[in-house]
Amino acid sequence: MLLQIEQECLDVYKRKVEQAAKSRAQLLQALSDAKLELSTLLSALGDKSFISIPETTLGTINEQLAAIAPALEQLLKQKEERVKEFSDIQSQIQKICGEIAGNASEQTGAPAVDESDLSLKKLNEYQVKLQELQKEKSDRLHKVLEFVSTVHDLCAVLGMDFFSTVTEVHPSLDDTIGVQSKSISNDTLLRLAETVSALNEDKKQRLHKLQELATQLIDLWNLMDTPEEERILFDHVTCHTSASVDGVTVPGALALDLIEQAEVEVERLDQLKASRMKEIAFKKQVELEEIFARAHIEIDPEAAREKIMALIDSGNVEPTELLADMDNQIAKAKEEVLSRKEILDRVEKWMSACEEESWLEDYNRDENRYNSSRGAHLNLKRAEKARILVNKIPGMVDTLVAKTRAWEEDRGISFSYDGVPLLAMLDEYAMLRQEREEEKRRLRV
């Protein structure tokens, strides 16, 4: 019994020793794990100054564990807060990157946080990156809003539906959607730039077309003496005749229906012009005859009118071609007038001097010219001026002859004045003047 009791006591003792050893080993493992976790947390958080680390080599195992526990708890709490900060920043970065890439809707769940490095330095790097992305997002959003505003203005001028145009680029560009929700992706910016470019090109082409129509309208109005009240109806077309592309900003100024109205009016006036062709052609012929008359160029107006009638009645010439030909004749006639202007001015002065010379001869033959009759002093003054002018005639004639010969050599044709060669007129005058001078000399003898 005693041996049995002793054995049982020994077994109980052994179990107690084994249990104590096992507990000690578990405590040592817990202490080791706590030290390792403490070291890992300190390494991950990267800042040892914010918490006091106890000396873990003194006291019993339980005392050492008790000394580590508060610091470990504080570090775990700090880690949890730091992980949340990292998660928030990385989520924002992920969201903005997704918005820039254009796949924000495809991203699900929070980004994974690397818990091996939760230092303030790493957190600051993420914050700097987030600030850069926020600035890029702001810049992109500003560009998007500028593009949308430009599209709105262009659509207004072109008379197009802004809503359908802009939402075709991206649904988020609708005015009813908040600014922060608008797409800022590369694809959206590219498509907006392409849309603006296409609208600008469309605006340029429409303006060119409208200016062509406006020019045609003005030419047709002038051709047919269209009254002002009819012209006013198309002021919205003709007001852009010399406008630049950027200068056209009035809503609906380049709408398709406005251009179609102008096209219809040009077509109507063209048809009206065809029906009034003879009247218009004769009007231009009159203008041509007046130009030639002012230039003292002799033409056969009856033959010209008969030719116009024959061309129109034959139907072998297009009305526009006939009018273009007459416009060309008018332009050439104006050039001819310009080339003759200097000589014609001198001819007028010469003829005026000749008139004074003739008057002076009559005055000199008047035996009562010195009588104190009414107006005699005025005639005397005129005679004095006439003598001065008459003395200049030989020089005027010589200059006129030189100018006329130079003109004829340059063009290879004779300079005619009302159908008479000017040089022949000058030669005849010179001969007559010489005869008069000889006659005067004989009379004096």
Side-chain angles (χ1 to χ4, degrees), residues 25 57 86 99 158 168 209 258 301 303 323 348 371 376 379 403:
T57 59
F86 271 85
E99 290 174 352
L158 297 172
E168 187 177 340
K209 177 66 175 176
L258 185 147
L323 295 180
E348 288 181 8
N371 292 343
N379 288 334
K403 292 283 184 183

Side-chain angles (χ1 to χ4, degrees), residues 398-414:
D398 291 341
T399 303
L400 193 51
V401 168
K403 292 283 184 183
T404 304
R405 283 176 178 166
W407 187 93
E408 291 182 347
E409 289 175 4
D410 184 48
R411 287 163 178 76
I413 57 174
S414 175

Side-chain angles (χ1 to χ4, degrees), residues 150-151 153-161 165 193-211 244-246 248 253-257 259:
T150 303
V151 170
D153 294 343
L154 288 170
C155 286
V157 173
L158 297 172
M160 298 173 61
D161 182 13
T165 302
E194 290 173 348
T195 300
V196 169
S197 177
L199 290 173
N200 272 322
E201 183 62 27
D202 196 12
K203 180 182 179 182
K204 181 179 178 181
Q205 292 177 0
R206 289 194 192 184
L207 178 60
H208 180 67
K209 177 66 175 176
L210 193 69
Q211 288 175 337
S244 63
V245 176
D246 295 334
V248 181
L254 300 177
L256 285 176
D257 57 346
I259 295 175

